[in-house]
């Protein structure tokens, strides 16, 4: 590959990671042209750049463009490497996430397929498992299918623990998502409080930093939850009081 193409692709990745999407996109497209000329349309490196372009477009909020690019990348990986190649599975997870953002009617099928393929191809200790499961949980939550969503959130926590351990920031983050869901959607704030207290305790034990932004975020979540729980208690008490007065 020409050195210029390699440098251009690297520059695209750097700008994308820093949120400079207007700079990243032309660099991705220039790199793609160079890779197509030298390596061909179905070479894994060409497809990896195409996948990165799709991910960048999704982060930039251009979901329709991201879906078109992601579909091409997924089809290309499948044809070039087969459906059981880890790079094809990673492309499937990205494409399913884009359909979720696009609120596509096809989202559920791809989200479920991404969960199944991650486990079958990558095994339970790959980080993509937790990402795929969390995306499915978000979809089910949006659909109001709360029992299914809760199971998916809990499966996501279990997968994160298997990959990272109990006190890793990624594990704690999905625990907070589960706590928020339990509090706001199924209204079991007492259970959510326990989850948040455990997450805060684990983070303090890991970081030893009482003044970090993450510690403050956990404390803020816990405070919001306690306020919500108090409001629920007051509303319940007020309802019972009104019934007695009436």
């Amino acid at each position: 590959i020409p050195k210029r193409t390699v440098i251009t692709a690297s520059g695209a990745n750097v700008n994308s990671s820093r949120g400079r999407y207007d700079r990243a996109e032309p660099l991705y497209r220039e790199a793609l042209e160079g890779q197509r000329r030298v390596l061909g349309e179905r070479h894994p490196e060409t497809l990896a750049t195409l996948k990165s372009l799709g991910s960048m477009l999704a982060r930039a909020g251009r979901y329709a463009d991201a879906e078109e690019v992601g579909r091409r990348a997924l089809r290309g990986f499948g044809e070039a490497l087969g459906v059981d190649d880890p790079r094809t599975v990673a492309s499937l997870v990205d494409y399913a996430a884009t359909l979720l953002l696009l609120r596509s009617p096809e989202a559920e099928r791809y989200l479920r397929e991404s969960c199944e393929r991650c486990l079958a191809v990558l095994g339970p200790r790959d980080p993509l498992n937790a990402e795929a499961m969390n995306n499915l949980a978000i979809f089910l939550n949006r659909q109001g299918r709360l029992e299914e969503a809760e199971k998916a959130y809990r499966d996501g926590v279990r997968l994160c623990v298997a990959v990272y351990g109990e006190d890793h920031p990624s594990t704690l983050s999905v625990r907070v998502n589960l706590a928020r869901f339990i509090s706001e959607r199924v209204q079991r704030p007492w259970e959510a409080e326990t989850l948040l207290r455990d997450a805060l305790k684990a983070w303090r034990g890991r970081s030893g930093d009482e003044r970090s932004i993450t510690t403050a975020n956990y404390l803020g979540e816990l405070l919001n939850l306690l306020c919500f729980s108090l409001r629920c208690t007051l509303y319940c008490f007020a309802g019972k009081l009104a019934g007695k007065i009436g």
Side-chain angles (χ1 to χ4, degrees), residues 10 12 33 58 74 76 78 116 130 139 141 159 176 195 201 207 209 237:
S10 177
E33 286 304 311
L74 177 59
E116 293 168 3
F139 170 83
N141 188 11
L159 289 166
V176 169
L195 285 167
K201 182 179 178 181
S207 68
D209 186 356
F237 176 76

Side-chain angles (χ1 to χ4, degrees), residues 98-124:
T98 299
L99 293 178
L100 174 65
L101 293 168
L102 194 59
R103 297 178 183 269
S104 165
E106 292 187 295
E108 182 173 5
R109 177 168 71 89
Y110 280 93
L111 288 165
R112 291 193 181 278
E113 184 181 350
S114 68
C115 291
E116 293 168 3
R117 299 306 300 158
C118 278
L119 278 173
V121 175
L122 306 177

Side-chain angles (χ1 to χ4, degrees), residues 125-138:
R125 294 188 175 277
D126 191 281
L128 274 180
N129 279 287
E131 180 181 337
M133 188 61 68
N134 187 63
N135 289 339
L136 177 61
I138 292 170

Side-chain angles (χ1 to χ4, degrees), residues 185-202:
R185 296 290 281 163
V186 298
Q187 297 186 357
R188 300 199 306 267
W190 56 90
E191 184 180 343
E193 180 186 346
T194 300
L195 285 167
L196 279 176
R197 288 189 185 279
D198 289 346
L200 178 59
K201 182 179 178 181

Side-chain angles (χ1 to χ4, degrees), residues 178-226:
L178 172 61
R180 189 182 294 122
F181 168 81
I182 288 174
S183 172
E184 296 174 1
R185 296 290 281 163
V186 298
Q187 297 186 357
R188 300 199 306 267
W190 56 90
E191 184 180 343
E193 180 186 346
T194 300
L195 285 167
L196 279 176
R197 288 189 185 279
D198 289 346
L200 178 59
K201 182 179 178 181
W203 174 253
R204 281 171 167 166
R206 177 187 177 89
S207 68
D209 186 356
E210 293 290 328
R211 298 184 179 182
S212 71
I213 293 175
T214 305
T215 301
N217 286 340
Y218 284 143
L219 286 170
E221 288 281 356
L222 183 57
L223 178 61
N224 288 335
L225 180 60
L226 291 172

